Amino acid sequence: MRKLVTSVLAGIGLTLACGTSVYAQEKSLTIFWAEWDPANYLQELGNEYEKETGVKITVETTPWSDFQTKAFTEFNAHGDAYDLVVGDSQWLGAGSTGGHYVDLTDFFKKHDLGNVMAPATVKYYAEYPGNSGKYWAIPLEGDAVGWSYRKDWFEDPKEKEAFKAKYGYDLDVPKDFKALRDIAEFFYRPDQKRYGIAIYTDNSYDAMAMGFENALFSYGGELGDYSTYKVDGHINSDKAIAALDAYKELYKFTPPGWAKSFFVEDNQAITENLAAMSMNFFAFFPSLINEASNPNAKNTGFFANPPGPNGDQFAALGGQGISVISYSKKQEEAMKFLEWFIKDETQKKWAALGGYTCSAAVLKSPEFQSATPYNKAFYETMFKVKDFWAVPEYAELLQQLNQRVYPYMIGGEGTAKQTLDALAADWNATFKKYGRVQ
Amino acid sequence: MATTMITTLERSSRAAARGLSDISIRNLFIIPTVLFLIVFNIFPLIYSLGYSFTDFRASTNAPANFVGLQNYRDLLNDPYVWSNFAITAKYVIISVAGQLLVGFGVAMLLNRDIPLKGLITTLLLLPMMLSMAVVGLFWKLLYDPSWGVINYALGLGNFEWLADPKMARYAVALTDIWMWSPFVMLLSLAGLSAVPKHLYEAAAIDRAGPFYTFFRITLPLVAPILMIAVIFRTMEAFKTFDLAYILTSQPTAELISIRLYKMAFQEWQTGRSCAMAYIVLIMVLAITNIYVKYLNKVKER
């Protein structure tokens, strides 16, 4: 009898435990993102949400190299493993037209996010097609390309004197692309294992595009006309050709073996005393002000992408918006999380944790701009950003850019004009293939 | 009638007494294997063949439209694809030839009485037991112009192995040679030890020189097993992906497998990549067929 009672009680206990587990499962959300610091900050923010609401937030991450493949494999399988995704801005076209993202237009208008968030973040992280008034994501992590530099090298009186003697003006944070080039040349000293500059050169995914865009946009060039998809006369304009030449010129002053470099290597250039200046997304700068990861943290400064010869000043956009996945069975719960996320208090917490808020009010606040040595440069940059094509076939366009620009940049094959003429022809053929141009 | 029934019952009871019948055991082994092959090999093969005639993109919810041979036409007219095939062909030739020379050479050295022969052979086999990803990352560090040991040891300064577009494919091939020469060495050792000793003794009596002995006795007798090594290594080298992907992203080292991966899983051109996979499959089959025919000829000699 005693055994029977024990067994019945154990059975009831087990049933209740299972019931609780199912309940807990319903009260949880999984967000998919790439493996980097901001994802850890988002997990911390999610823990706050759990304390307030009891809904468990899990930020599942994967290395950047697998991020796109893993996300789209899950989308293509119509899987519900993730409820929300913090997807790259280029994914908007593929995510929306492929039916993977939930239409957030009503949510966007209800909360007036077009005015609450910084204009560039709304344009590039949320809206597709451009100027359509259709929104598929909430701007989450603002990001753009900026620069870090070795303050101690720049401020050394001997270096300053030598620089002035050679170039005729003061060594300081570069005021334009010409100064960027001169400083890179000045510090290029292979015999001392010291080099001028670290730039993006990797030709997989979007590294090369993100790097080249900084020169392209600041030289007044464009990838094309986003409304008509006309590329001829844009990507191969005189300004674009000059920009590619300028970017290639910078490659001459990079450390040896710099032909496959992206965000990891560009931070290493500063931490390993390799380069005077280094290009990178702002989201990777936190580790540069951390003495544990950067022995030169105290001597590292930051600046926004400098203007080109005509005074145009833009930078390549990074960053992501958060979208609700249409195959999720917890869409209502996901919308509640988004409502909480866009609140002013949450945005302040997000910024305090280290996330790059897209809230215009928080970005403009003095607290935000003085919180880190690079927040001011970030603020300045976020209002001067441009992005790559966000069309569903963006990956083919990226691949074509890599195939054309890389051999010229790294291998010195052909001229900038030949390279960009060929790229214009490639892109035109791709847009024709997908019926965007006749 | 009654007799027939009794005989049948006797037979089945005898089978039961033995356990499973031969036919049941055969079916037990074959049916799961056949089912596995159909589900995981034949079905995807036929399914992807169907997709290769469509414009299907897995990243969209749009239906697949039949486009006939357009994918095949586009691919065969694409200069990039031909350049990928040319790079792959050069890589296969360099890599397999290198492995053959190094592997067979080392086997010749080891095919004699030397101290610690067993230990040396085992140590030489280590590279091919490592994971490709680990080897890739390991050699990437070795090749690094700033802190890599290769440039330091050879006194090459800042020589760029992986960043130089012309050098990258040779660097990948060199790593592959390091990794897979032991495989050729192992097969060659098996072949060399099978050569009858009396042939060498007869050659020695006839005062044949080492050159004559090698080309008239050793090589002809080891040739069939070397051909098997060449077939295996050619197929593997043709499929190389991980090593080249990890080591370099140079367009001059973009093998056909890397292009195929990018087309399928980064650009999501599903239909087109299926067509590409079939073109590669046909090429590998053709090359293997030529090799097998040649191998049969070598064996007949």
Side-chain angles (χ1 to χ4, degrees):
Chain A
M1 186 61 188
R2 201 171 166 185
K3 268 188 184 171
L4 183 72
V5 170
T6 314
S7 313
V8 169
L9 283 175
I12 292 168
L14 199 67
T15 313
L16 284 174
C18 291
T20 315
S21 141
V22 168
Y23 178 75
Q25 258 186 351
E26 280 173 0
K27 288 285 187 182
S28 67
L29 287 171
T30 305
I31 304 172
F32 188 53
W33 202 359
E35 195 178 279
W36 63 335
D37 286 343
N40 302 332
Y41 309 147
L42 186 62
Q43 181 62 71
E44 287 182 49
L45 196 69
N47 296 344
E48 299 268 331
Y49 185 69
E50 188 182 359
K51 277 184 206 160
E52 286 181 30
T53 63
V55 178
K56 186 175 170 53
I57 303 288
T58 305
V59 180
E60 196 174 311
T61 60
T62 194
W64 273 106
S65 51
D66 293 338
F67 185 40
Q68 183 199 220
T69 309
K70 202 169 169 187
F72 275 88
T73 305
E74 186 65 15
F75 297 160
N76 300 343
H78 295 191
D80 63 348
Y82 316 120
D83 305 298
L84 298 122
V85 63
V86 189
D88 257 353
S89 52
Q90 302 98 295
W91 296 6
L92 274 179
S96 56
T97 57
H100 310 309
Y101 288 173
V102 170
D103 185 347
L104 296 176
T105 307
D106 291 341
F107 181 93
F108 223 86
K109 285 179 179 163
K110 184 182 161 194
H111 298 283
D112 193 25
L113 292 180
N115 292 316
V116 170
M117 301 289 180
T121 68
V122 174
K123 184 179 176 185
Y124 294 117
Y125 301 152
E127 192 180 27
Y128 186 83
N131 304 319
S132 65
K134 299 278 277 177
Y135 300 98
W136 305 91
I138 307 300
L140 179 132
E141 169 78 358
D143 200 4
V145 174
W147 295 84
S148 57
Y149 72 101
R150 289 294 299 268
K151 276 198 292 187
D152 50 341
W153 296 10
F154 274 54
E155 287 164 6
D156 185 327
K158 281 183 189 167
E159 299 287 10
K160 281 179 118 40
E161 195 184 327
F163 184 87
K164 182 131 193 193
K166 186 172 181 188
Y167 297 98
Y169 61 96
D170 288 332
L171 172 61
D172 201 350
V173 165
K175 289 182 177 57
D176 54 25
F177 254 80
K178 186 189 170 296
L180 189 80
R181 182 241 170 251
D182 289 348
I183 299 168
E185 183 189 50
F186 177 69
F187 282 114
Y188 183 73
R189 299 160 195 176
D191 50 326
Q192 296 171 23
K193 295 220 177 250
R194 192 184 262 204
Y195 306 91
I197 197 164
I199 55 172
Y200 290 165
T201 55
D202 191 6
N203 67 344
S204 51
Y205 195 46
D206 64 353
M208 181 63 89
M210 295 294 122
F212 167 49
E213 278 176 1
N214 294 299
L216 176 75
F217 297 145
S218 282
Y219 267 72
E222 294 286 351
L223 295 169
D225 185 328
Y226 291 111
S227 52
T228 61
Y229 300 100
K230 188 176 181 299
V231 289
D232 208 27
H234 293 277
I235 188 59
N236 54 351
S237 67
D238 290 344
K239 286 176 178 172
I241 291 164
L244 183 57
D245 273 332
Y247 196 61
K248 186 177 189 298
E249 176 81 356
L250 295 180
Y251 178 64
K252 277 170 33 186
F253 310 119
T254 59
W258 214 253
K260 190 179 164 55
S261 303
F262 199 11
F263 50 86
V264 175
E265 292 80 9
D266 275 22
N267 264 9
Q268 277 175 347
I270 293 293
T271 60
E272 306 294 324
N273 301 309
L274 276 175
M277 299 177 288
S278 176
M279 161 190 280
N280 222 336
F281 285 115
F282 280 92
F284 295 105
F285 287 161
S287 64
L288 291 185
I289 56 163
N290 181 351
E291 286 184 40
S293 48
N294 179 17
N296 305 309
K298 281 183 185 157
N299 292 316
T300 304
F302 302 88
F303 60 90
N305 193 45
N310 303 315
D312 296 301
Q313 188 179 17
F314 292 96
L317 182 81
Q320 294 89 17
I322 184 166
S323 303
V324 180
I325 296 171
S326 55
Y327 316 111
S328 161
K329 293 190 176 77
K330 301 170 193 166
Q331 289 182 18
E332 271 185 45
E333 201 64 66
M335 299 299 272
K336 282 182 198 163
F337 173 76
L338 292 184
E339 280 196 353
W340 177 81
F341 180 75
I342 57 168
K343 284 180 183 173
D344 284 351
E345 314 88 80
T346 315
Q347 288 296 307
K348 281 179 192 162
K349 277 183 197 168
W350 175 230
L353 282 167
Y356 278 121
T357 175
C358 298
S359 158
V362 180
L363 280 172
K364 281 176 188 161
S365 68
E367 297 85 46
F368 174 80
Q369 288 183 35
S370 56
T372 70
Y374 44 76
N375 273 12
K376 192 166 187 306
F378 173 75
Y379 165 76
E380 287 166 4
T381 308
M382 278 315 284
F383 290 86
K384 301 169 187 167
V385 284
K386 292 186 183 185
D387 199 13
F388 195 72
W389 301 97
V391 289
E393 59 274 16
Y394 75 92
E396 280 171 66
L397 302 173
L398 272 179
Q399 170 71 9
Q400 286 160 346
L401 182 140
N402 287 333
Q403 280 176 328
R404 292 296 182 186
V405 173
Y406 192 87
Y408 171 66
M409 273 282 298
I410 310 299
E413 290 176 22
T415 63
K417 183 168 169 29
Q418 286 166 345
T419 302
L420 294 180
D421 281 346
L423 180 60
D426 287 348
W427 280 1
N428 201 34
T430 304
F431 285 138
K432 257 187 199 166
K433 189 169 109 184
Y434 292 99
R436 298 193 190 281
V437 290
Q438 294 302 313
Chain B
M1 183 70 178
T3 323
T4 320
M5 271 182 72
I6 288 162
T7 319
T8 315
L9 281 169
E10 275 175 356
R11 266 187 212 148
S12 54
S13 63
R14 277 203 299 271
R18 281 205 312 266
L20 290 169
S21 67
D22 290 350
I23 293 170
S24 305
I25 289 171
R26 187 195 66 189
N27 290 343
L28 204 66
F29 279 102
I30 291 174
I31 289 172
T33 314
V34 169
L35 279 175
F36 189 88
L37 276 175
I38 290 171
V39 172
F40 291 105
N41 281 29
I42 296 166
F43 174 71
L45 206 67
I46 295 166
Y47 207 72
S48 59
L49 180 66
Y51 270 143
S52 74
F53 300 112
T54 69
D55 63 356
F56 182 59
R57 291 171 66 85
S59 59
T60 67
N61 276 327
N65 298 310
F66 182 76
V67 293
L69 291 170
Q70 193 189 321
N71 285 331
Y72 290 91
R73 260 201 310 269
D74 287 351
L75 286 167
L76 293 173
N77 285 318
D78 186 342
Y80 278 126
V81 171
W82 283 110
S83 128
N84 293 130
F85 273 119
I87 291 164
T88 309
K90 281 176 196 163
Y91 169 77
V92 170
I93 291 167
I94 297 166
S95 177
V96 176
Q99 286 162 31
L100 205 64
L101 284 172
V102 175
F104 189 62
V106 175
M108 289 286 286
L109 289 172
L110 285 174
N111 189 40
R112 58 184 71 189
D113 292 327
I114 52 168
L116 300 172
K117 185 178 166 182
L119 180 69
I120 293 168
T121 311
T122 311
L123 288 175
L124 286 171
L125 290 177
L126 281 178
M128 72 175 198
M129 292 173 190
L130 297 171
S131 132
M132 280 276 204
V134 172
V135 170
L137 291 170
F138 176 61
W139 276 80
K140 200 175 173 182
L141 288 173
L142 293 179
Y143 282 134
D144 194 286
S146 296
W147 49 74
V149 77
I150 292 179
N151 281 6
Y152 177 76
L154 301 177
L156 293 174
N158 282 339
F159 182 76
E160 301 204 351
W161 290 88
L162 300 171
D164 184 329
K166 291 185 182 92
M167 203 60 217
R169 87 171 74 115
Y170 299 106
V172 179
L174 195 66
T175 309
D176 200 49
I177 290 168
W178 174 82
M179 191 172 181
W180 290 107
S181 292
F183 175 76
V184 179
M185 179 199 81
L186 200 64
L187 286 183
S188 305
L189 268 178
L192 287 169
S193 60
V195 179
K197 291 274 184 291
H198 65 84
L199 293 177
Y200 292 117
E201 285 161 10
I205 291 165
D206 291 342
R207 293 186 180 175
F211 188 80
Y212 184 89
T213 311
F214 177 77
F215 282 101
R216 292 288 174 162
I217 299 172
T218 312
L219 200 57
L221 288 171
V222 181
I225 211 157
L226 278 181
M227 274 308 293
I228 290 171
V230 170
I231 292 172
F232 275 116
R233 288 312 310 148
T234 303
M235 284 195 297
E236 285 295 317
F238 209 92
K239 293 191 300 184
T240 299
F241 173 82
D242 28 20
L243 202 59
Y245 195 75
I246 292 167
L247 277 173
T248 181
S249 65
Q250 287 288 354
T252 50
E254 190 172 89
L255 304 173
I256 198 73
S257 56
I258 295 177
R259 184 78 273 276
L260 183 55
Y261 163 77
K262 285 182 178 171
M263 198 184 278
F265 300 109
Q266 288 185 349
E267 298 163 25
W268 296 107
Q269 299 191 69
T270 316
R272 207 165 186 229
S273 58
C274 287
M276 178 103 147
Y278 269 90
I279 293 171
V280 174
L281 178 74
I282 291 164
M283 286 198 169
V284 173
L285 282 176
I287 294 166
T288 315
N289 232 5
I290 294 166
Y291 274 150
V292 171
K293 276 190 181 164
Y294 189 70
L295 175 67
N296 289 336
K297 273 187 187 171
V298 170
K299 273 183 178 173
E300 281 165 14
R301 275 184 207 158

